[in-house]
Amino acid sequence: MMLAMRCASGRMGKILLIALLIACTMVAGASKQAGASGNAQVPSIVYPPTNLVAMPGQSQATLTWMPTTTSKIDHYVVYRRYTTETGFSATVPTKVSANAYRGYTVNLPVGETYEFKVSAVRITNGKAEESSKSKPTYAVPY
């Protein structure tokens, strides 16, 4: 035990410490280079918008939501369905500007109950990455 302590505190310990510092510096430098050149793999999670609200009106529903916290969103897609249907379809227009997330209105027949969802889309390297859909909200236009 005494011999091990002498090695650690003596010349051998200093050599090990220097080797460890060099290794750590090389690893840190490599990860900085990968990040700077764009080669680092970053998870591409696109979060959905939140707090979707549909306010019914005369043959319409005005939708509002809080924008996603994901940066560089290209657009949003609004989905709707009659509550008797099983699947959602995108409404027209299918692309809603990232800056126009309030007051989106769709023309709807009177008296039907509708369910809406919204997703966020980010374009990365020419590929669309779409979030999951928001929690649903309902509206019955009058």
Side-chain angles (χ1 to χ4, degrees):
M1 179 145 159
M2 194 63 120
L3 182 59
M5 286 176 61
R6 280 188 189 157
C7 286
S9 63
R11 184 174 183 180
M12 187 61 108
K14 289 178 185 176
I15 291 172
L16 289 173
L17 181 61
I18 290 170
L20 181 62
L21 288 172
I22 290 171
C24 289
T25 303
M26 290 173 66
V27 169
S31 50
K32 280 183 185 176
Q33 278 185 325
S37 66
N39 294 333
Q41 293 296 323
V42 177
S44 59
I45 298 171
V46 181
Y47 296 103
T50 57
N51 301 328
L52 175 62
V53 175
M55 296 297 296
Q58 192 169 22
S59 300
Q60 66 185 12
T62 300
L63 308 177
T64 59
W65 61 88
M66 293 301 297
T68 178
T69 56
T70 305
S71 63
K72 299 182 182 176
I73 293 301
D74 184 66
H75 62 273
Y76 293 92
V77 179
V78 176
Y79 295 88
R80 80 164 183 233
R81 72 174 178 180
Y82 295 103
T83 52
T84 56
E85 296 176 327
T86 55
F88 282 86
S89 59
T91 62
V92 177
T94 55
K95 292 183 178 181
V96 178
S97 169
N99 296 327
Y101 59 87
R102 296 206 183 276
Y104 183 72
T105 305
V106 293
N107 294 321
L108 304 170
V110 174
E112 295 285 340
T113 303
Y114 296 90
E115 184 176 21
F116 297 93
K117 291 185 178 187
V118 178
S119 67
V121 179
R122 175 176 65 188
I123 307 296
T124 304
N125 298 325
K127 180 183 171 191
E129 300 171 317
E130 186 172 359
S131 73
S132 59
K133 293 174 183 69
S134 66
K135 290 183 180 180
T137 189
Y138 300 92
V140 181
Y142 52 86

